[in-house]
Amino acid sequence: MSPKTVFVTGGAGYIGSHCIVELLQAGYNVVAVDNFTNSVCEDGEAPSLKRVEMITGKPVTFYQCDLLNKAKLREIFLKQHIDFVIHFAAIKAVGESMQFPVMYYENNIIGTIYLLEAMKEAGCYQLVYSSSCTVYGNPQYLPITEDHPTGNITNVYGRTKYFIEEMLKDVSAADKEWNIISLRYFNPVGAHPSGHIGEDPTKAFTNLMPYMAQVAIGHKDSLTIFGGDYATKDGTGIRDYIHVVDLASGHLAALQKLSNSVVRYKTYNLGTGQGYSVLELIDNFEKATKTKIPYKIVERRLGDIEQIYADVRLAKEELKWETKYSMKEMCEHFWKWKTMNPDGYRKSSIQTNGSG
Ligand code: NAD
Ligand code: WQD
């Protein structure tokens, strides 16, 4: 059987690039697009994807293309024979989304509409969508299952993720050709174990582990912990951190599910099922990387929830997927990427740290 081709939107980004490694290693062909709104571009190419090619020894067909460029998107679909789509492309900064709601609604929602139109025209109906645990809003119970109510969200970014889920549900209800899986990611962290690819956004980032690594490497003085008075074991917020390579493998499991069955529309949580507090994450990071993270505890961050972690039984049972990386490895691999590439992809010369 000839290899299947997967069209990956946002392929130059953090999760997309890790997913493409897994896809290539599993024997899929990959056609990726990105507009570099949040990933590094060198001469129209994606250094992240050059690294992916180096890791796998396989080529990636890449187009610099904005999903809002309907004509170009359509052209790519008609030129390439696409079997599946994995849709990562989105802008995701919560604070920015509150300042520029129209930009978020346009990019994330209109971009998805154009993608669905291009897919339908090309006769491709198999889609995996990057959703988020943010669609649950403030948890009513824990661990959170896929049937927990959604939509009670306090930020625009989160609402784009939720509205797209609703749209995909409607699309699949209206036309039985569609086979769609939404994957609700919890908190992706870490990097590829090789240290050659990792997270390198062009927009400012505020997530915990990248910020912690900035402190550890000396680019920032100390970490600010948002809130020490939550009703949790040590007063700090709890999240379900998942290694980005485990997250990537969840997409391959979803493709298998789409290949083997008529799903119509289904959602799955992708997390480890285990919650870690901010202080626990700092402790694990310090031990795994033999660094010191000075911190101070300040007021809670507006819009933050106290704690969230996934019930992952559905993905285990129906996708036959489970995580394999520990918290220690999440920290070690992130640190390896950071120390091998202190300037991220910007200086695309590849350094090694002697450990592989
Ligand atoms: P990322 O910013 O690293 O990757 C997204 C990529 O999409 C970027 O390279 C960006 O340039 C590209 N992009 C954005 N808009 C585009 C457009 N209109 N046309 C073409 N390319 C476009 O982010 P990521 O962390 O890899 O996230 C991937 C997906 O996962 C997103 O949909 C995000 O909402 C979702 N998600 C991320 C997290 C997280 O914490 N990282 C958690 C839950 C869900
Ligand atoms: C984790 C914990 C913070 C930074 C965000 C998005 C969400 C989803 C995942 C995409 C919290 C604390 C953080 C810092 C801190 N993304 N923290 N000091 O808030 O769970 O979710 O990413 O869909 O939509 O909102 O992730 O990494 O920002 O925070 O104390 O400097 O670390 O309060 O408890 P979060 P995060």
Side-chain angles (χ1 to χ4, degrees):
M1 214 168 49
S2 63
K4 299 284 185 193
T5 299
V6 185
F7 183 80
V8 179
T9 75
Y14 174 45
I15 305 170
S17 55
H18 287 81
C19 186
I20 294 175
V21 170
E22 303 305 303
L23 287 169
L24 293 172
Q25 286 177 340
Y28 290 99
N29 290 328
V30 173
V31 176
V33 294
D34 206 295
N35 68 352
F36 298 117
T37 189
N38 197 34
S39 43
V40 177
C41 170
E42 274 182 358
D43 304 324
E45 296 290 340
S48 57
L49 295 180
K50 292 288 156 207
R51 303 276 186 100
V52 165
E53 290 180 332
M54 183 193 73
I55 294 168
T56 59
K58 295 185 175 173
V60 178
T61 303
F62 177 74
Y63 295 90
Q64 181 171 354
C65 173
D66 193 320
L67 291 191
L68 298 176
N69 186 342
K70 200 172 175 173
K72 188 162 179 184
L73 193 59
R74 186 169 173 258
E75 200 182 296
I76 299 169
F77 262 90
L78 295 178
K79 186 165 169 199
Q80 303 283 344
H81 177 85
I82 311 287
D83 297 293
F84 301 96
V85 173
I86 306 183
H87 179 29
F88 293 105
I91 39 179
K92 60 168 188 177
V94 171
E96 185 187 62
S97 76
M98 302 302 283
Q99 260 184 301
F100 303 106
V102 173
M103 179 171 94
Y104 270 72
Y105 287 124
E106 180 184 42
N107 189 79
N108 294 358
I109 297 183
I110 310 284
T112 304
I113 292 174
Y114 289 172
L115 177 67
L116 293 174
E117 287 175 352
M119 288 177 69
K120 189 173 165 70
E121 188 182 8
C124 172
Y125 293 94
Q126 312 269 0
L127 172 67
V128 177
Y129 168 61
S130 295
S131 189
S132 167
C133 66
T134 198
V135 302
Y136 294 120
N138 222 340
Q140 294 171 9
Y141 59 84
L142 289 166
I144 211 156
T145 49
E146 286 82 353
D147 54 3
H148 182 284
T150 54
N152 187 17
I153 306 157
T154 52
N155 68 79
V156 171
Y157 159 71
R159 274 196 282 277
T160 70
K161 295 271 110 180
Y162 166 71
F163 291 150
I164 293 168
E165 277 201 9
E166 293 299 298
M167 182 166 76
L168 296 177
K169 225 183 279 176
D170 290 339
V171 162
S172 62
D175 181 349
K176 64 175 176 16
E177 292 273 7
W178 288 97
N179 221 15
I180 303 176
I181 290 179
S182 286
L183 298 175
R184 293 179 180 153
Y185 313 158
F186 281 67
N187 287 57
V189 293
H192 193 265
S194 67
H196 290 311
I197 58 169
E199 188 168 12
D200 184 19
T202 56
K203 290 175 189 269
F205 53 81
T206 53
N207 292 120
L208 182 57
M209 191 176 281
Y211 203 92
M212 215 187 279
Q214 290 283 91
V215 175
I217 211 162
H219 291 169
K220 304 262 186 227
D221 293 336
S222 74
L223 176 76
T224 304
I225 298 182
F226 302 127
D229 58 350
Y230 285 113
T232 58
K233 47 192 152 188
D234 57 23
T236 64
I238 290 181
R239 299 290 184 272
D240 184 340
Y241 298 96
I242 173 171
H243 194 295
V244 64
V245 175
D246 278 331
L247 190 67
S249 77
H251 294 72
L252 274 78
L255 292 185
Q256 275 300 322
K257 178 82 179 167
L258 291 178
S259 303
N260 299 338
S261 50
V262 178
V263 172
R264 301 291 299 275
Y265 181 80
K266 191 99 203 218
T267 56
Y268 295 97
N269 286 339
L270 294 186
T272 64
Q274 207 184 334
Y276 281 83
S277 73
V278 177
L279 286 172
E280 284 176 331
L281 192 66
I282 293 176
D283 186 49
N284 276 276
F285 194 86
E286 287 184 334
K287 286 191 177 123
T289 64
K290 299 181 181 54
T291 56
K292 199 78 206 137
I293 313 284
Y295 65 80
K296 53 179 181 300
I297 300 181
V298 301
E299 293 294 292
R300 295 178 180 192
R301 184 170 64 178
L302 201 67
D304 260 0
I305 56 170
E306 181 173 279
Q307 52 181 322
I308 187 163
Y309 46 93
D311 185 319
V312 290
R313 281 175 303 174
L314 201 64
K316 272 189 186 168
E317 280 161 24
E318 295 191 6
L319 299 182
K320 316 285 176 232
W321 167 86
E322 53 188 7
T323 57
K324 65 173 192 187
Y325 289 105
S326 64
M327 171 53 76
K328 183 168 179 278
E329 289 164 312
M330 297 181 209
C331 296
E332 280 172 355
H333 297 161
F334 194 91
W335 189 235
K336 187 171 179 185
W337 151 252
K338 193 75 194 165
T339 48
M340 282 169 65
N341 308 273
D343 298 312
Y345 294 117
R346 283 163 189 83
K347 303 249 184 314
S348 67
S349 65
I350 296 167
Q351 306 173 20
T352 62
N353 69 355
S355 59

